[in-house]
Each structure stands twice: as C-alpha cells, then as structure tokens.
C-alpha cells in the first residue's frame, strides 16, 4: 500500500488517488503542421520506464486536484510529489551516479 | 527423443522410468543464428517451433532471461477463449483457439485442454444489452456464442448468488462453449520440447543486455549474459518488458506495463465446472484439476515492473468472489502472484515489423497473452520467414497507431483494462 503525499492535503492512502499517465507530455504544435507520425507518437507512444517515472495523479477522493509524482515503477517508492506546472525536482530523477549502495 | 504415448508410459512403468530423455536440449549458444528470438515464454517458443515446423528454418535460438515457464507463462490463469468483438480480433483469437484444439496431437504433449465453456454474467440492463450486441458480433464473425437466462446461468454455476437481493444480481449472461482452460506449463514445455526436437536451441539464463546495429541501422547481433550472438533476423516476445528491450534497440512502443494479479485457493472438491467471468467486477474463476480455484481480476492501479500486486486490487477481487459466491467466503488462498503485462491503448496486440530493420515484434497482448500463444507464434514465424505479414496479422501492425486504424477491444476483451 502506498502512502502518497498530496501537495495540498498531505500524506494519504493510495486508494484515495487515481493514476493518470506520464507527466510533462508536450502537445506538438502548430496543429496544422503536425504529421500523422508525430501525432501518433504523442497520443500513444510512451517511455514506460523500468525505473523512475514522472506521472500525473488525481486526488480523486480528497481535494480532487491533479499533481505530479516521481515514483519508481520497480520498487513503487514515491520520490517526490510536486504541483502541476512546477518543474520536476532536480537530482531525484537520475539513478545514483556511483554504484548505489557502495 | 522418446515419443510420448500410452505405450511409452506402460513400457517405462515396467522399466523403472529409466528410459525418458530430457524434454529439450540445453546447448551452449552458437556464435550465429539465422533467427534469434528474445523471450522464452509461450509466444517466443511457439514462434521458434513454427519457424522450424512451417517455414523450415532450423538455425534458430530462443534466449530466455530466466527459465522456461518462469515468467508470464507460469503466471497466467490458463484461460483460452475467442469471445472478442471486432472481425480482426475474431480471426486472430479463433485461429489461436483452433490451433489449441489440435495442439496436444501436434506437439505430442498433453496440454490438458478442457473446453468447459466460458460463462460471462451480466449484472445490469446495460451489461445485458452490450452482451447481446457482443454475442451478435461473435456469431456474425463465425465464433459461436449464445445468450443465457438467469436460470441457465444458475444451473451452470450453482455457486453464484443470483437472487434479486444479491449485491450483484445476475440478469443473464452468455457462453462460448469452446472456451475453457489448458495447462499453462504444458503449453510452454510442449512447444519447447517440440522446437528443440526440430533443432531449435533453447538457451536459458541468457539475458539480452544490448542490441547491436549495423551502420544501416539493421540489428546484427545481441549482447547477452552468455556472450555476443549474431543474428540474421531478430524477434522479441517479452510482454511486460517490451519497452525496455525496445529502448535498447532504439525505438518506443505504445505500451504501458502493469501488474496483473492472480490467486489460487486451497484445493476443494469440484464446485465449478466452467470458467465464470463477471462483467460488473471483472472477477473470473475456474477450478484446476488439482481442485484449486484459480481467480483473477482487473489490472493493478498504476504502472509497475514489480512482480507482486498491490493490496487494494486484492481486496476488490476477493470482495467480488465473496459477494458473488458467498459459500466461498471461508475458503483460504494458497498463493497470490502477479505478472507484468504489456497494455496497449486499444487492447490489441502488436505483431510484425518494428522501425528497426531486421527486428520483429510480438507484444501488446496485455491481460490475455496465454490464449493467443499458438497464433502469435504461427503468425510472426510467417512474417519473419516470408518477409510479409500473414493476412490475419496484418491489421495488428505497429503502424496502426499512425494511421488511426485501431482495433479497440477495450470493452469486449472481457476484463477491465
């Protein structure tokens, strides 16, 4: 069971939340110059990383606001929660540069 | 290699069981193969078998990171069925079911296919209407199915609470009589044995760590935990890890990996002789030959590569079992596990070429790869050997995500996505 820290409400149980796919996807522009390939890529293709993913969550049974989470898809560890529109916190998202647990 | 038969069982019974060969060879990897298949699950092994059997390609290797039957092949709920909605899906899944129907004979391996029927129950007017539409589509597509009344559902599944005051009242349902179960280990072991007999090298404990490409971009070799292996053509059938391998090769996929959980109970005397799936809860249940109730439900709630499930889904699935079949309320579970499945937005598979020359893909079966093993193998083998997609596989090419020709089975594939 995850404990997720909503940026507005604080730590709450995972059953209050809904996962909403990866964050920071940029809609390609201008609309009349977007090819089928670029549009298909934007709509459907995903990094689906085995590791840290930045993703959108909705506090569905709480404040009903969207926010971002940096979460490991391997351990499910939540590394950071930050508001929509904020940049992803630096440093958290890269794997340790030197051998991890050494 | 020993041929399995009633006679060989009898002979070995008198012979102290000393005459059996290993089911498949475990050779050292060669430096080069005509075709290298990454992933020794059902789909990878079936691809190798049909390459050898149908296409005459014998210089083929299957590379498996762990052991045969240790991934999703050993983590599914063993259901086979072809109750899909769209004509393209009906063709591919029914092709698979027909291959299953003759598979024990073809492989000389008893896959214990049991066509006990799959009963889908409806719990609201809307469920009932969509079920009728679904059955109509199946029959139009040449896949027989029929509607059931509440009384007929109750007769087939006496465990179900169908009373009007039930938490999920049953308004009727439908059945595909040819659906059922098969022994999942036997399917992969059977394909592995039959492929090995035809000369395919099955290499276990061999993890692919990198993909080597030529200056023109073509895949020419894979780097593995057991050395570098050159390949004429390369295929990947790695389910939940498709995105990871695609990233190694240098492209992306419309795939998200989720954990899908399953459960098995302590052994009981026979209590259910069909497969039951509830449209309201996504819970499905069948009973294995050992007596265990094999139970599944919907996907976990967020993407994951961890082969274990999260607790809210455990609670939902168990709650559905107990609400719908109250007499099972005190049955204990023996095991719970999860496999990582490759979910695609339109809930249909991806079969055929990738943007990387020389690299073929079989993925995207999501929550239902087991039923499709024979078809996935047969169709990709055809594409690899002939260079053109099999007509049944053609609609499932990766390019559908650019042309918009999606085959949206999200609702009709039978379980929540």
């Amino acid at each position: 069971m995850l404990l997720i820290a909503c940026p507005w409400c604080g730590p709450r149980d995972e059953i209050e939340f809904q996962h909403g796919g990866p964050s920071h996807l940029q809609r390609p522009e201008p609309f009349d110059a977007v090819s089928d390939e670029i549009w298909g890529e934007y709509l459907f293709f995903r990094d689906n990383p085995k590791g840290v993913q930045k993703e959108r969550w909705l506090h569905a049974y709480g404040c009903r606001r969207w926010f971002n989470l940096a979460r490991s898809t391997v351990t499910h560890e939540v590394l950071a929660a930050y508001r929509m529109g904020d940049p992803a916190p630096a440093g958290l998202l890269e794997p340790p540069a030197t051998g991890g647990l050494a | 290699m020993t041929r399995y038969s009633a006679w060989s069982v009898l002979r070995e019974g008198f012979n102290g069981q000393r005459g059996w060969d290993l089911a498949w060879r475990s050779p050292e990897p060669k430096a080069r193969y005509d075709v290298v298949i990454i992933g020794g699950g059902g789909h990878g092994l079936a691809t190798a078998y049909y390459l050898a059997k149908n296409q005459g390609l014998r210089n083929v290797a299957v590379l498996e990171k762990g052991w045969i039957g240790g991934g999703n092949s050993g983590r599914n709920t063993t259901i086979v069925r072809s109750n899909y909605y769209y004509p393209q899906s009906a063709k591919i899944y029914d092709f698979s079911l027909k291959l299953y129907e003759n598979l024990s004979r073809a492989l000389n391996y008893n896959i214990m296919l049991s066509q006990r029927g799959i009963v889908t129950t409806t719990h609201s007017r809307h469920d009932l209407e969509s079920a009728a539409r679904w059955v109509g589509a199946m029959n139009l597509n040449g896949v027989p199915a029929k509607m059931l009344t509440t009384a007929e559902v109750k007769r087939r599944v006496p465990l179900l609470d169908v009373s009007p005051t039930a938490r999920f009242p049953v308004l009727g349902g439908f059945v595909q009589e040819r659906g059922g179960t098969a022994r999942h280990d036997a399917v992969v072991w059977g394909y592995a044995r039959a492929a090995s007999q035809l000369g395919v090298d099955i290499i276990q404990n061999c993890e692919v760590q990198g993909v080597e490409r030529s200056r023109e971009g073509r895949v020419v070799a894979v780097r593995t935990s057991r050395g570098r292996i050159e390949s004429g053509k390369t295929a990947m059938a790695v389910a939940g890890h498709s995105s990871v391998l695609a990233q190694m090769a240098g492209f992306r996929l419309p795939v998200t990996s989720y954990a899908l959980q399953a459960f098995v109970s302590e052994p009981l005397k026979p209590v259910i002789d069909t497969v039951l799936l509830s449209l309201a809860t996504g819970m499905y249940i069948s009973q294995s030959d050992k007596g265990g109730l094999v139970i599944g439900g919907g996907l976990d709630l967020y993407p994951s590569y961890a082969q274990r499930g999260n607790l809210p889904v455990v609670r939902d699935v168990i709650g559905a079992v107990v609400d719908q079949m109250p007499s099972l309320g005190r049955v204990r579970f023996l095991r719970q596990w999860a496999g990582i499945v490759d979910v695609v937005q339109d809930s249909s598979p991806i079969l055929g070429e990738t943007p990387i020359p020389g690299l073929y893909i079989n993925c995207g079966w999501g929550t239902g790869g087991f039923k499709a093993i024979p078809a996935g193998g047969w169709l990709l083998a055809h594409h690899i050997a002939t260079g053109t997609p099999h007509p049944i596989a053609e609609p499932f090419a990766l390019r559908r995500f650019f042309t918009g020709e999606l085959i949206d089975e999200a609702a009709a594939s039978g379980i929540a996505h």
Side-chain angles (χ1 to χ4, degrees):
Chain A
M1 187 77 81
L2 300 185
L3 193 62
I4 295 173
C6 169
W8 284 276
C9 308
R12 298 291 182 91
D13 193 292
E14 75 172 73
I15 57 172
E16 295 186 14
F17 297 90
Q18 271 172 18
H19 170 80
S23 303
H24 309 298
L25 296 185
Q26 196 61 47
R27 180 176 171 138
E29 291 177 310
F31 70 90
D32 53 354
V34 175
S35 67
D36 288 351
E37 280 66 32
I38 291 173
W39 188 240
E41 187 83 19
Y42 163 69
L43 280 184
F44 300 116
F45 287 66
R46 299 291 178 255
D47 288 340
N48 192 25
K50 185 176 184 174
V52 177
Q53 168 159 271
K54 289 162 272 179
E55 51 195 24
R56 300 179 304 175
W57 285 71
L58 171 66
H59 195 183
Y61 301 101
C63 62
R64 296 203 50 76
R65 289 212 239 195
W66 285 92
F67 61 96
N68 292 310
L69 212 58
R71 183 184 64 94
S72 165
T73 60
V74 180
T75 63
H76 298 173
E77 185 185 358
V78 175
L79 299 166
Y82 54 101
R83 296 183 181 194
M84 279 293 162
D86 287 355
L92 281 171
L93 307 176
E94 306 307 324
T98 51
L101 298 173
Chain B
M1 190 156 299
T2 329
R3 198 179 152 72
Y4 297 156
S5 64
W7 164 242
S8 63
V9 170
L10 192 67
R11 189 189 60 218
E12 291 308 318
F14 284 114
N15 197 22
Q17 311 290 352
R18 287 189 302 268
W20 300 113
D21 299 324
L22 290 177
W24 59 84
R25 300 171 292 112
S26 290
E28 282 302 306
K30 290 193 259 181
R32 185 183 188 285
Y33 291 93
D34 292 339
V35 182
V36 167
I37 296 165
I38 305 167
H43 282 274
L45 291 165
T47 306
Y49 169 73
Y50 291 117
L51 275 173
K53 179 81 180 172
N54 295 352
Q55 314 293 344
L57 288 172
R58 303 283 170 103
N59 188 24
V60 173
V62 177
L63 311 183
E64 166 55 42
K65 174 170 72 170
W67 66 96
I68 299 300
N72 287 1
S73 300
R75 291 168 186 267
N76 58 76
T77 45
T78 79
I79 311 292
V80 296
R81 58 184 176 88
S82 59
N83 52 354
Y84 282 73
Y85 185 79
Y86 288 101
Q88 301 94 319
S89 312
K91 280 208 182 83
I92 198 166
Y93 290 106
D94 212 49
F95 179 61
S96 198
L97 190 51
K98 282 175 178 153
L99 289 173
Y100 261 127
E101 284 167 344
N102 193 41
L103 198 59
S104 290
R105 192 174 299 270
L107 300 180
N108 179 228
Y109 204 105
N110 184 5
I111 63 156
M112 297 165 70
L113 178 68
S114 163
Q115 291 178 291
R116 56 185 72 179
I118 174 162
V119 173
T120 303
T121 53
T122 67
H123 308 275
S124 67
R125 278 284 305 278
H126 312 289
D127 277 1
L128 197 58
E129 281 166 16
S130 55
R133 180 166 171 263
W134 188 351
V135 165
M138 286 175 65
N139 284 310
L140 278 176
N141 291 332
V143 180
K146 73 166 198 279
M147 295 297 291
L148 301 174
T149 63
T150 304
E152 285 167 332
V153 169
K154 178 69 179 171
R155 195 168 64 241
R156 280 174 173 261
V157 191
L159 281 177
L160 264 183
D161 180 4
V162 302
S163 61
T165 55
R167 171 67 184 85
F168 297 101
V170 176
L171 274 67
F174 73 93
V175 61
Q176 184 189 14
E177 302 285 5
R178 287 166 57 232
T181 64
R183 173 100 176 105
H184 55 185
D185 291 324
V187 172
V188 277
W189 293 339
Y191 271 120
R193 173 171 171 270
S196 176
Q197 241 166 350
L198 292 171
V200 171
D201 283 359
I202 294 165
I203 299 159
Q204 304 181 67
N205 300 311
C206 180
E207 181 177 6
V208 170
Q209 296 163 334
V211 175
E212 268 181 40
R213 295 168 61 184
S214 69
R215 198 169 304 163
E216 297 76 40
R218 193 181 165 80
V219 173
V220 291
V222 289
R223 286 190 305 278
T224 78
S225 54
R226 296 180 64 175
R228 179 177 180 274
I229 301 172
E230 285 182 26
S231 59
K233 290 176 176 173
T234 311
M236 53 184 272
V238 297
H241 279 71
S242 294
S243 298
V244 176
L245 205 69
Q247 193 190 10
M248 274 183 212
F251 68 108
R252 295 206 306 167
L253 286 167
V255 165
T256 303
S257 297
Y258 285 90
L260 178 64
Q261 300 190 55
F263 310 85
V264 67
S265 77
E266 60 187 332
L268 305 176
K269 289 189 174 177
V271 290
I272 179 168
D273 64 357
T274 186
V275 180
L276 172 75
L277 185 145
S278 160
L279 278 184
T281 60
M283 179 275 299
Y284 59 99
I285 182 168
S286 65
Q287 191 167 18
S288 77
D289 292 344
K290 285 188 289 191
L293 296 170
V294 183
I295 295 166
L299 286 169
D300 273 15
L301 304 172
Y302 40 79
S304 173
Y305 283 89
Q307 284 177 316
R308 55 189 157 80
N310 70 8
L311 288 169
V313 170
V314 176
R315 185 196 56 192
D316 288 352
V317 175
I318 295 173
V321 170
V322 174
D323 279 338
Q324 298 185 263
M325 291 163 287
S327 58
L328 298 181
R330 298 181 70 83
V331 171
R332 286 165 296 186
F333 277 146
L334 282 189
R335 290 189 300 280
Q336 168 270 0
W337 66 91
I340 303 305
V341 298
D342 41 348
V343 174
V344 176
Q345 282 93 342
D346 65 355
S347 300
S348 287
I350 299 167
L351 271 177
E353 286 164 0
T354 67
I356 313 294
L359 182 61
Y360 298 81
I361 190 165
N362 168 352
C363 78
W365 299 98
T367 56
F370 176 71
K371 73 172 89 68
I373 285 171
W378 181 295
L379 299 171
L380 195 67
H382 177 100
H383 198 154
I384 293 169
T386 65
T388 49
H390 190 287
I392 294 177
E394 211 168 0
F396 297 98
L398 187 56
R399 70 171 173 281
R400 74 177 186 270
F401 296 97
F402 302 124
T403 61
E405 292 169 290
L406 303 186
I407 303 158
D408 191 359
E409 285 288 354
S413 54
I415 112 164
H417 288 277

